[in-house]
Amino acid sequence: EAGVVQSPRYKIIEKKQPVAFWCNPISGHNTLYWYRQNLGQGPELLIRYENEEAVDDSQLPKDRFSAERLKGVDSTLKIQPAELGDSAVYLCASSLDGDSYGELFFGEGSRLTVL
Amino acid sequence: AQSVTQLGSHVSVSEGALVLLRCNYSSSVPPYLFWYVQYPNQGLQLLLKYTTGATLVKGINGFEAEFKKSETSFHLTKPSAHMSDAAEYFCAVSGTGNQFYFGTGTSLTVIP
């Protein structure tokens, strides 16, 4: 069974440029999460989807970040324009039913460097 | 609201020695608790989880953790460290609302 797939693995951009990350969750997983992991820190939730609905986006900086999950399958996270402080690893995770005691399956992450 | 605190951002142990990584949680509802491991340049992988039932939970790679409600703790242990255990370890808690909260992580170094 294929795991959570993310691309690109690495991205280097200059500040004020746009960037997009793509995630394909495990087949059949209804819940999809985007996390940001700063260096030396734990993952912090940006947005959570139940199917195609964003049910928790309270931590998403909506002035520059946007996300979509069309058809409730794969998802895209966009930053426009990027700032120096956005340098981090962006992790995508999925779970089967979105219940609180389920397991999160993580992708390998997309490492963003903003110069 | 839920949160976790991991005591010690860096832990070093000798190969073959006991591994003890500490995690304390705060939760207003019965918590579900998790330990994840992250190897360099990889995503997080579940080591073990506590939901209900037996408070001593066994996971992969010889790790186990004990849920102690009175101490609000969920410490991770392994009797004998192996070089391959060197990684970043994250404790996480979830409760209602399908929200997972992660600690800041503990980096484990295993000394030959």
Side-chain angles (χ1 to χ4, degrees):
Chain A
E1 177 180 309
V4 176
V5 179
Q6 291 189 244
S7 67
R9 286 294 314 277
Y10 304 92
K11 189 74 175 180
I12 301 174
I13 62 173
E14 296 195 346
K15 63 181 181 181
K16 300 186 180 179
Q17 293 299 306
V19 64
F21 305 111
W22 177 79
C23 172
N24 193 32
I26 292 174
S27 178
H29 281 197
N30 301 322
T31 305
L32 184 147
Y33 305 76
W34 281 104
Y35 284 89
R36 176 167 60 187
Q37 186 177 20
N38 292 312
L39 188 64
Q41 299 294 314
E44 296 178 329
L45 181 69
L46 290 173
I47 189 168
R48 174 171 61 92
Y49 283 93
E50 298 284 350
N51 298 303
E52 65 275 11
E53 181 183 1
V55 296
D56 185 354
D57 63 356
S58 58
Q59 300 304 311
L60 190 72
K62 298 180 183 63
D63 57 336
R64 297 183 300 106
F65 286 66
S66 63
E68 61 182 13
R69 191 185 184 195
L70 301 177
K71 301 181 181 179
V73 182
D74 58 342
S75 176
T76 302
L77 177 69
K78 298 179 181 178
I79 307 174
Q80 183 172 8
E83 297 180 351
L84 294 177
D86 296 331
S87 294
V89 176
Y90 291 84
L91 294 166
C92 180
S94 68
S95 65
L96 184 57
D97 294 318
D99 51 46
S100 296
Y101 51 85
E103 175 181 355
L104 294 183
F105 292 83
F106 284 86
E108 294 183 312
S110 294
R111 182 180 296 275
L112 173 66
T113 301
V114 182
L115 302 177
Chain B
Q2 290 89 30
S3 67
V4 293
T5 301
Q6 291 185 240
L7 301 176
S9 58
H10 293 89
V11 171
S12 294
V13 299
S14 298
E15 190 174 15
L18 171 71
V19 175
L20 171 60
L21 305 182
R22 300 177 186 273
C23 173
N24 288 90
Y25 70 90
S26 173
S27 180
S28 55
V29 297
Y32 300 127
L33 295 160
F34 307 80
W35 276 99
Y36 282 83
V37 61
Q38 186 177 34
Y39 298 101
N41 298 315
Q42 295 187 25
L44 281 71
Q45 176 186 3
L46 182 69
L47 270 179
L48 49 79
K49 66 179 180 182
Y50 168 79
T51 55
T52 59
T55 57
L56 182 62
V57 180
K58 295 185 184 299
I60 62 172
N61 301 336
F63 284 93
E64 61 183 35
E66 186 171 10
F67 170 62
K68 293 186 176 181
K69 184 177 179 181
S70 60
E71 299 177 8
T72 61
S73 69
F74 190 58
H75 300 332
L76 182 71
T77 60
K78 182 175 181 178
S80 177
H82 192 273
M83 295 298 293
S84 60
D85 295 327
E88 191 86 15
Y89 292 81
F90 293 93
C91 182
V93 63
S94 71
T96 58
N98 305 321
Q99 295 179 329
F100 291 79
Y101 297 92
F102 288 84
T104 53
T106 297
S107 177
L108 176 65
T109 299
V110 182
I111 303 168

